[in-house]
PDB file of all heavy atoms in Angstrom:
ATOM      1  N   LYS B 266      11.421  -8.416  10.940  1.00  0.00           N
ATOM      2  CA  LYS B 266      11.591  -9.272  12.097  1.00  0.00           C
ATOM      3  C   LYS B 266      11.578  -8.341  13.297  1.00  0.00           C
ATOM      4  O   LYS B 266      12.500  -7.537  13.470  1.00  0.00           O
ATOM      5  CB  LYS B 266      12.937 -10.002  11.979  1.00  0.00           C
ATOM      6  CG  LYS B 266      13.007 -11.221  12.822  1.00  0.00           C
ATOM      7  CD  LYS B 266      14.253 -12.012  12.500  1.00  0.00           C
ATOM      8  CE  LYS B 266      14.433 -13.087  13.538  1.00  0.00           C
ATOM      9  NZ  LYS B 266      15.800 -13.538  13.607  1.00  0.00           N
ATOM     10  N   LEU B 267      10.518  -8.412  14.078  1.00  0.00           N
ATOM     11  CA  LEU B 267      10.388  -7.496  15.212  1.00  0.00           C
ATOM     12  C   LEU B 267      10.988  -8.125  16.453  1.00  0.00           C
ATOM     13  O   LEU B 267      10.598  -9.218  16.854  1.00  0.00           O
ATOM     14  CB  LEU B 267       8.916  -7.173  15.483  1.00  0.00           C
ATOM     15  CG  LEU B 267       8.106  -6.491  14.389  1.00  0.00           C
ATOM     16  CD1 LEU B 267       6.733  -6.136  14.927  1.00  0.00           C
ATOM     17  CD2 LEU B 267       8.804  -5.238  13.898  1.00  0.00           C
ATOM     18  N   GLU B 268      11.964  -7.427  17.014  1.00  0.00           N
ATOM     19  CA  GLU B 268      12.512  -7.874  18.291  1.00  0.00           C
ATOM     20  C   GLU B 268      12.467  -6.700  19.247  1.00  0.00           C
ATOM     21  O   GLU B 268      13.461  -6.287  19.821  1.00  0.00           O
ATOM     22  CB  GLU B 268      13.936  -8.393  18.094  1.00  0.00           C
ATOM     23  CG  GLU B 268      13.934  -9.781  17.494  1.00  0.00           C
ATOM     24  CD  GLU B 268      15.297 -10.248  17.020  1.00  0.00           C
ATOM     25  OE1 GLU B 268      16.259  -9.481  17.168  1.00  0.00           O
ATOM     26  OE2 GLU B 268      15.371 -11.371  16.524  1.00  0.00           O
ATOM     27  N   THR B 269      11.273  -6.134  19.333  1.00  0.00           N
ATOM     28  CA  THR B 269      11.089  -4.953  20.157  1.00  0.00           C
ATOM     29  C   THR B 269      10.256  -5.323  21.375  1.00  0.00           C
ATOM     30  O   THR B 269       9.589  -6.345  21.373  1.00  0.00           O
ATOM     31  CB  THR B 269      10.341  -3.877  19.362  1.00  0.00           C
ATOM     32  OG1 THR B 269       9.226  -4.490  18.731  1.00  0.00           O
ATOM     33  CG2 THR B 269      11.221  -3.275  18.308  1.00  0.00           C
ATOM     34  N   ARG B 270      10.285  -4.460  22.360  1.00  0.00           N
ATOM     35  CA  ARG B 270       9.459  -4.726  23.540  1.00  0.00           C
ATOM     36  C   ARG B 270       7.998  -4.565  23.182  1.00  0.00           C
ATOM     37  O   ARG B 270       7.648  -3.845  22.262  1.00  0.00           O
ATOM     38  CB  ARG B 270       9.837  -3.759  24.663  1.00  0.00           C
ATOM     39  CG  ARG B 270      11.166  -4.140  25.273  1.00  0.00           C
ATOM     40  CD  ARG B 270      11.518  -3.213  26.376  1.00  0.00           C
ATOM     41  NE  ARG B 270      10.508  -3.256  27.439  1.00  0.00           N
ATOM     42  CZ  ARG B 270      10.571  -2.521  28.535  1.00  0.00           C
ATOM     43  NH1 ARG B 270      11.573  -1.696  28.697  1.00  0.00           N
ATOM     44  NH2 ARG B 270       9.636  -2.594  29.440  1.00  0.00           N
ATOM     45  N   TYR B 271       7.162  -5.265  23.933  1.00  0.00           N
ATOM     46  CA  TYR B 271       5.733  -5.219  23.644  1.00  0.00           C
ATOM     47  C   TYR B 271       5.230  -3.788  23.790  1.00  0.00           C
ATOM     48  O   TYR B 271       5.579  -3.090  24.733  1.00  0.00           O
ATOM     49  CB  TYR B 271       4.985  -6.149  24.599  1.00  0.00           C
ATOM     50  CG  TYR B 271       3.504  -6.170  24.326  1.00  0.00           C
ATOM     51  CD1 TYR B 271       3.005  -6.852  23.229  1.00  0.00           C
ATOM     52  CD2 TYR B 271       2.611  -5.490  25.142  1.00  0.00           C
ATOM     53  CE1 TYR B 271       1.660  -6.851  22.954  1.00  0.00           C
ATOM     54  CE2 TYR B 271       1.260  -5.487  24.877  1.00  0.00           C
ATOM     55  CZ  TYR B 271       0.791  -6.171  23.777  1.00  0.00           C
ATOM     56  OH  TYR B 271      -0.550  -6.165  23.505  1.00  0.00           O
ATOM     57  N   ARG B 272       4.454  -3.352  22.835  1.00  0.00           N
ATOM     58  CA  ARG B 272       4.012  -1.969  22.835  1.00  0.00           C
ATOM     59  C   ARG B 272       2.492  -1.831  22.785  1.00  0.00           C
ATOM     60  O   ARG B 272       1.984  -0.774  22.467  1.00  0.00           O
ATOM     61  CB  ARG B 272       4.568  -1.266  21.612  1.00  0.00           C
ATOM     62  CG  ARG B 272       5.864  -0.598  21.863  1.00  0.00           C
ATOM     63  CD  ARG B 272       6.347  -0.033  20.562  1.00  0.00           C
ATOM     64  NE  ARG B 272       7.642  -0.571  20.251  1.00  0.00           N
ATOM     65  CZ  ARG B 272       8.738  -0.148  20.841  1.00  0.00           C
ATOM     66  NH1 ARG B 272       8.694   0.813  21.710  1.00  0.00           N
ATOM     67  NH2 ARG B 272       9.899  -0.682  20.540  1.00  0.00           N
ATOM     68  N   GLY B 273       1.808  -2.908  23.035  1.00  0.00           N
ATOM     69  CA  GLY B 273       0.342  -2.822  22.993  1.00  0.00           C
ATOM     70  C   GLY B 273      -0.176  -1.912  24.088  1.00  0.00           C
ATOM     71  O   GLY B 273       0.552  -1.549  25.010  1.00  0.00           O
ATOM     72  N   SER B 274      -1.435  -1.529  23.973  1.00  0.00           N
ATOM     73  CA  SER B 274      -1.978  -0.619  24.976  1.00  0.00           C
ATOM     74  C   SER B 274      -2.661  -1.407  26.082  1.00  0.00           C
ATOM     75  O   SER B 274      -3.226  -2.479  25.846  1.00  0.00           O
ATOM     76  CB  SER B 274      -2.974   0.337  24.314  1.00  0.00           C
ATOM     77  OG  SER B 274      -3.897  -0.407  23.566  1.00  0.00           O
ATOM     78  N   GLY B 275      -2.609  -0.864  27.269  1.00  0.00           N
ATOM     79  CA  GLY B 275      -3.372  -1.394  28.393  1.00  0.00           C
ATOM     80  C   GLY B 275      -3.031  -2.808  28.804  1.00  0.00           C
ATOM     81  O   GLY B 275      -3.888  -3.575  29.193  1.00  0.00           O
ATOM     82  N   ASN B 276      -1.781  -3.188  28.667  1.00  0.00           N
ATOM     83  CA  ASN B 276      -1.403  -4.497  29.176  1.00  0.00           C
ATOM     84  C   ASN B 276      -0.142  -4.328  30.017  1.00  0.00           C
ATOM     85  O   ASN B 276       0.971  -4.334  29.514  1.00  0.00           O
ATOM     86  CB  ASN B 276      -1.168  -5.473  28.017  1.00  0.00           C
ATOM     87  CG  ASN B 276      -1.049  -6.891  28.506  1.00  0.00           C
ATOM     88  OD1 ASN B 276      -0.385  -7.162  29.508  1.00  0.00           O
ATOM     89  ND2 ASN B 276      -1.696  -7.804  27.819  1.00  0.00           N
ATOM     90  N   GLU B 277      -0.369  -4.161  31.309  1.00  0.00           N
ATOM     91  CA  GLU B 277       0.730  -3.842  32.216  1.00  0.00           C
ATOM     92  C   GLU B 277       1.761  -4.953  32.258  1.00  0.00           C
ATOM     93  O   GLU B 277       2.964  -4.723  32.214  1.00  0.00           O
ATOM     94  CB  GLU B 277       0.188  -3.571  33.624  1.00  0.00           C
ATOM     95  CG  GLU B 277      -0.475  -2.222  33.762  1.00  0.00           C
ATOM     96  CD  GLU B 277       0.419  -1.092  33.254  1.00  0.00           C
ATOM     97  OE1 GLU B 277       1.552  -0.982  33.736  1.00  0.00           O
ATOM     98  OE2 GLU B 277      -0.031  -0.335  32.373  1.00  0.00           O
ATOM     99  N   THR B 278       1.256  -6.186  32.337  1.00  0.00           N
ATOM    100  CA  THR B 278       2.155  -7.330  32.493  1.00  0.00           C
ATOM    101  C   THR B 278       3.185  -7.370  31.375  1.00  0.00           C
ATOM    102  O   THR B 278       4.377  -7.520  31.624  1.00  0.00           O
ATOM    103  CB  THR B 278       1.352  -8.645  32.456  1.00  0.00           C
ATOM    104  OG1 THR B 278       0.067  -8.379  32.978  1.00  0.00           O
ATOM    105  CG2 THR B 278       2.043  -9.728  33.239  1.00  0.00           C
ATOM    106  N   LEU B 279       2.685  -7.225  30.151  1.00  0.00           N
ATOM    107  CA  LEU B 279       3.628  -7.336  29.039  1.00  0.00           C
ATOM    108  C   LEU B 279       4.413  -6.056  28.806  1.00  0.00           C
ATOM    109  O   LEU B 279       5.545  -6.098  28.350  1.00  0.00           O
ATOM    110  CB  LEU B 279       2.909  -7.770  27.761  1.00  0.00           C
ATOM    111  CG  LEU B 279       3.159  -9.249  27.521  1.00  0.00           C
ATOM    112  CD1 LEU B 279       2.237 -10.092  28.351  1.00  0.00           C
ATOM    113  CD2 LEU B 279       3.076  -9.579  26.069  1.00  0.00           C
ATOM    114  N   ASN B 280       3.803  -4.926  29.113  1.00  0.00           N
ATOM    115  CA  ASN B 280       4.532  -3.674  28.929  1.00  0.00           C
ATOM    116  C   ASN B 280       5.739  -3.588  29.846  1.00  0.00           C
ATOM    117  O   ASN B 280       6.730  -2.955  29.521  1.00  0.00           O
ATOM    118  CB  ASN B 280       3.609  -2.485  29.190  1.00  0.00           C
ATOM    119  CG  ASN B 280       2.742  -2.194  27.988  1.00  0.00           C
ATOM    120  OD1 ASN B 280       3.146  -2.432  26.864  1.00  0.00           O
ATOM    121  ND2 ASN B 280       1.552  -1.697  28.228  1.00  0.00           N
ATOM    122  N   ASN B 281       5.632  -4.232  31.009  1.00  0.00           N
ATOM    123  CA  ASN B 281       6.741  -4.166  31.954  1.00  0.00           C
ATOM    124  C   ASN B 281       7.790  -5.238  31.705  1.00  0.00           C
ATOM    125  O   ASN B 281       8.794  -5.301  32.391  1.00  0.00           O
ATOM    126  CB  ASN B 281       6.218  -4.311  33.385  1.00  0.00           C
ATOM    127  CG  ASN B 281       5.350  -3.128  33.754  1.00  0.00           C
ATOM    128  OD1 ASN B 281       5.526  -2.045  33.200  1.00  0.00           O
ATOM    129  ND2 ASN B 281       4.413  -3.333  34.660  1.00  0.00           N
ATOM    130  N   ARG B 282       7.521  -6.078  30.739  1.00  0.00           N
ATOM    131  CA  ARG B 282       8.433  -7.182  30.482  1.00  0.00           C
ATOM    132  C   ARG B 282       9.696  -6.662  29.809  1.00  0.00           C
ATOM    133  O   ARG B 282       9.635  -5.823  28.907  1.00  0.00           O
ATOM    134  CB  ARG B 282       7.739  -8.190  29.566  1.00  0.00           C
ATOM    135  CG  ARG B 282       8.213  -9.589  29.709  1.00  0.00           C
ATOM    136  CD  ARG B 282       7.363 -10.483  28.848  1.00  0.00           C
ATOM    137  NE  ARG B 282       7.717 -10.320  27.444  1.00  0.00           N
ATOM    138  CZ  ARG B 282       7.750 -11.324  26.574  1.00  0.00           C
ATOM    139  NH1 ARG B 282       7.422 -12.535  26.958  1.00  0.00           N
ATOM    140  NH2 ARG B 282       8.073 -11.106  25.328  1.00  0.00           N
ATOM    141  N   GLU B 283      10.825  -7.176  30.226  1.00  0.00           N
ATOM    142  CA  GLU B 283      12.091  -6.714  29.662  1.00  0.00           C
ATOM    143  C   GLU B 283      12.372  -7.315  28.285  1.00  0.00           C
ATOM    144  O   GLU B 283      12.864  -6.654  27.386  1.00  0.00           O
ATOM    145  CB  GLU B 283      13.252  -7.051  30.609  1.00  0.00           C
ATOM    146  CG  GLU B 283      13.422  -6.070  31.754  1.00  0.00           C
ATOM    147  CD  GLU B 283      13.715  -4.652  31.275  1.00  0.00           C
ATOM    148  OE1 GLU B 283      14.562  -4.503  30.383  1.00  0.00           O
ATOM    149  OE2 GLU B 283      13.078  -3.699  31.783  1.00  0.00           O
TER     150      GLU B 283
END
Side-chain angles (χ1 to χ4, degrees):
Chain B
K266 200 171 169 202
L267 299 186
E268 283 169 0
T269 47
R270 286 181 60 180
Y271 181 75
R272 268 176 238 283
S274 51
N276 191 317
E277 284 308 305
T278 330
L279 258 81
N280 280 329
N281 294 334
R282 207 175 75 142
E283 279 299 314

